Amino acid sequence: MSRVVIIGGGPGGYESALVAAQLGADVTVVDTDGVGGSAVLTDCVPSKTLIATAELMTDMAEAAELGIEARDHQGDLSTTLEVDLAKVNARVKRLASDQSADIARRLEREKVRVVPGRGLLESPGAVVAELADGGTETLTADAVLVATGAAPRTLPSAVPDGERILTWEQVYDLTEVPTELIVVGSGVTGAEFASAYLALGIPVTLVSSRDRVLPGEDADAAQVLEDVLTRRGMKVLGQSRMESVTRSGDVVTVRLTDGREVQGSHCILALGSVPNTAGLGLEEAGVTLDDGGFVKVDRVSRTSARGVYAAGDCTGVLMLASVAAMQGRIAMWHFLGDAVAPLDLKRVSSNVFTAPEIATVGWSQRAIDAGEIQAETVMLPLRGNPRAKMQGVHDGFVKLFCRPGTGIVVGGVVVGPRASELIHPVSLAVAESITADQLAQAFTVYPSMSGSVAEAARRLHHF
Ligand SMILES: Cc1cc2nc3c(=O)[nH]c(=O)nc-3n(C[C@H](O)[C@H](O)[C@H](O)COP(=O)(O)OP(=O)(O)OC[C@H]3O[C@@H](n4cnc5c(N)ncnc54)[C@H](O)[C@@H]3O)c2cc1C
């Protein structure tokens, strides 16, 4: 029986453990923080749970347009909704730990052994576990998978204190509502937290070192989001590089490199992630890291050391839970001799959970504009969609890209409420090389937002 040892119990680790167990291997997962990893305990699951509350607040704030009025018990119009952050955060933490416990039970059912502790690579065939309750255990392996994830990046000039200067892992300890929140960093994580806390009724300033928010996303989508956020009252400071974050009593000061200062009650640092790869014996065992400390892998998750695979954020390939899980599964399929296709990033759909959401798949507008691929483009605003009108949705669009000759759909962007769900037909089209005509011919429900996906596809029709 093949022995597989996995270091790290996040989606990269536990999903591969399930595949390896299914294929008959003897599997051990060494994990420091609890299975589910950062994805379940501090990152995806908590943030999306917080955002679920924020979404409800957004809907309620816009209810008046649809004819709903809130009145207090004296019958007067009541216009303020308040969030009980202690309650929200308690729900977030409960849900995260329940999810971790669910995964632990599943692993147990599949006979995967979970060893609480820190795993170190002694050699390509051996992992030493520094056990949580003391002592060490050496685990020999035919294959090792490194899936140790990443941690929030901090700077010596902006040190989190866990009370008012916070990493994204620390926000769920807040029991009182910030009176003025500053979010530093306008990538996906910064934008999601800024959008969520704004929806919860908290004044937010977003400090962005670039021209606009979400510099890595579709420019039209980022523009829609920035317009909506500023319309709702967010202060977005573009071209503003943070130099330092300091605290004096209840006041947090963010100093910018041009000398300006922004003050608030709390600050969230969203400065990107650093891989958890230092001090694990990786390089000593022959695993090559890049300049940023990420593990170098090929498309079937092999590292430079024979028998050592790596998956997830520690590889920096695409920092998504779905990609981590797929890299891990691919590693196990490859090692255990099952059918395997190399990782194809052009099929990955991803979503920014702001209000509105931004979902993308396949080739990007940027790659098309740069001439990396030839594609025809159509962009259809959602405001013409009958369902959007009924629901009071004014912002957002569907964008589709298809190859000029064949009409094969190669990518798309959806901006709108629940864009994460609406992108799926486009993902299917990209994954299965479906043409715009085929996408257009499938029935959509009337009225529905997905009608706009089909309509966009119809507009790409050639005679
Ligand atoms: C705020 C936020 C929101 C996000 N939201 C989403 C989202 O909505 N959708 C999405 O797809 N992605 C999202 N992501 C990204 C996603 O969280 C990561 O891509 C995912 O967690 C990567 O999984 P992983 O298995 O590589 O690592 P992790 O989930 O970080 O798990 C790694 C685990 O290994 C443990 N570990 C580290 N070193 C060792 C060691 N030496 N020995 C034993 N154990 C060790 C860690 O403690 C951790 O538990 C989000 C990220 C952030 C920051």
Side-chain angles (χ1 to χ4, degrees):
M1 188 189 265
S2 298
R3 284 159 311 167
V4 173
V5 176
I6 297 169
I7 310 178
Y14 76 77
E15 290 287 351
S16 40
L18 293 172
V19 164
Q22 185 187 45
L23 296 177
D26 170 50
V27 191
T28 305
V29 177
V30 186
D31 183 72
T32 41
D33 293 351
V35 286
S38 308
V40 169
L41 295 168
T42 55
D43 297 357
C44 304
V45 171
S47 66
K48 265 76 261 187
T49 310
L50 174 80
I51 287 167
T53 300
E55 278 171 2
L56 192 59
M57 284 283 268
T58 306
D59 288 349
M60 289 166 81
E62 286 163 6
E65 185 186 335
L66 276 72
I68 295 174
E69 288 173 350
R71 291 188 186 274
D72 63 19
H73 52 275
Q74 268 126 14
D76 294 329
L77 264 184
S78 163
T79 51
T80 50
L81 292 165
E82 270 182 16
V83 64
D84 181 338
L85 208 51
K87 236 182 190 169
V88 172
N89 286 340
R91 176 172 184 265
V92 166
K93 288 181 179 177
R94 199 172 53 242
L95 215 132
S97 76
D98 287 354
Q99 175 78 0
S100 172
D102 276 355
I103 297 167
R105 275 192 293 274
R106 172 87 201 279
L107 290 173
E108 200 183 327
R109 268 203 312 276
E110 306 300 332
K111 310 251 179 318
V112 172
R113 182 176 172 225
V114 176
V115 175
R118 182 159 185 268
L120 307 169
L121 194 62
E122 194 179 62
S123 71
V127 170
V128 172
E130 295 175 345
L131 304 175
D133 49 11
T136 59
E137 181 181 340
T138 301
L139 303 153
T140 51
D142 300 305
V144 174
L145 176 80
V146 180
T148 48
R153 190 165 79 90
T154 56
L155 297 173
S157 60
V159 180
D161 66 0
E163 287 179 3
R164 289 183 179 269
I165 304 175
L166 307 162
T167 67
W168 61 72
E169 297 184 339
Q170 296 168 331
V171 296
Y172 309 105
D173 292 327
L174 283 175
T175 49
E176 54 179 66
V177 177
T179 50
E180 183 84 50
L181 177 67
I182 307 166
V183 177
V184 181
S186 65
V188 174
T189 300
E192 287 187 352
F193 279 112
S195 168
Y197 284 113
L198 182 76
L200 294 177
I202 296 167
V204 175
T205 302
L206 181 60
V207 176
S208 168
S209 61
R210 309 288 281 272
D211 288 346
R212 57 170 176 80
V213 299
L214 295 175
E217 299 293 318
D218 182 88
D220 294 314
Q223 192 59 54
V224 170
L225 179 67
E226 191 163 328
D227 291 348
V228 172
L229 293 178
T230 45
R231 198 171 71 216
R232 291 188 182 139
M234 188 182 294
K235 275 185 236 156
V236 179
L237 304 182
Q239 298 272 34
S240 301
R241 189 168 283 278
M242 178 269 283
E243 186 177 273
S244 65
V245 183
T246 50
R247 173 185 171 185
S248 168
D250 291 351
V251 179
V252 171
T253 304
V254 176
R255 197 177 158 78
L256 306 178
T257 47
D258 61 11
R260 280 177 297 157
E261 286 186 351
V262 190
Q263 291 194 322
S265 65
H266 294 76
C267 172
I268 299 176
L269 301 171
L271 308 172
S273 303
V274 285
N276 296 326
T277 52
L280 300 183
L282 297 177
E283 284 176 301
E284 295 81 344
V287 175
T288 306
L289 307 182
D290 71 11
D291 292 343
F294 292 98
V295 180
K296 283 192 173 177
V297 284
D298 66 11
R299 288 174 60 209
V300 289
S301 311
R302 280 180 298 196
T303 70
S304 53
R306 199 177 165 80
V308 181
Y309 293 79
D313 282 6
C314 68
T315 68
V317 166
L318 226 182
M319 288 187 157
L320 288 173
S322 51
V323 173
M326 189 54 82
Q327 284 180 292
R329 291 186 202 111
I330 287 175
M332 293 301 108
W333 289 325
H334 182 268
F335 170 65
L336 294 164
D338 209 45
V340 64
L343 182 69
D344 181 358
L345 294 179
K346 286 284 167 288
R347 292 179 175 205
V348 177
S349 57
S350 63
N351 189 58
V352 187
F353 289 83
T354 41
E357 293 183 5
I358 298 172
T360 43
V361 66
W363 287 91
S364 65
Q365 180 83 62
R366 182 175 296 138
I368 295 166
D369 294 345
E372 290 169 37
I373 182 173
Q374 271 200 317
E376 290 176 6
T377 300
V378 66
M379 185 166 136
L380 197 64
L382 277 185
R383 60 174 177 273
N385 176 299
R387 189 90 188 274
K389 289 179 194 164
M390 294 164 199
Q391 294 181 336
V393 172
H394 307 289
D395 305 291
F397 60 78
V398 172
K399 215 188 227 195
L400 282 183
F401 312 129
C402 78
R403 297 285 280 156
T406 59
I408 288 173
V409 178
V410 290
V413 182
V414 179
V415 181
R418 303 272 190 276
S420 47
E421 310 290 347
L422 278 174
I423 197 73
H424 192 58
V426 188
S427 290
L428 264 177
V430 171
E432 296 303 319
S433 300
I434 282 172
T435 64
D437 281 347
Q438 287 171 314
L439 184 58
Q441 276 159 20
F443 267 89
T444 55
V445 168
Y446 180 85
S448 68
M449 295 284 197
S450 46
S452 286
V453 176
E455 177 58 23
R458 259 190 295 280
R459 295 198 185 183
L460 287 169
H461 177 68
H462 286 288
F463 294 102

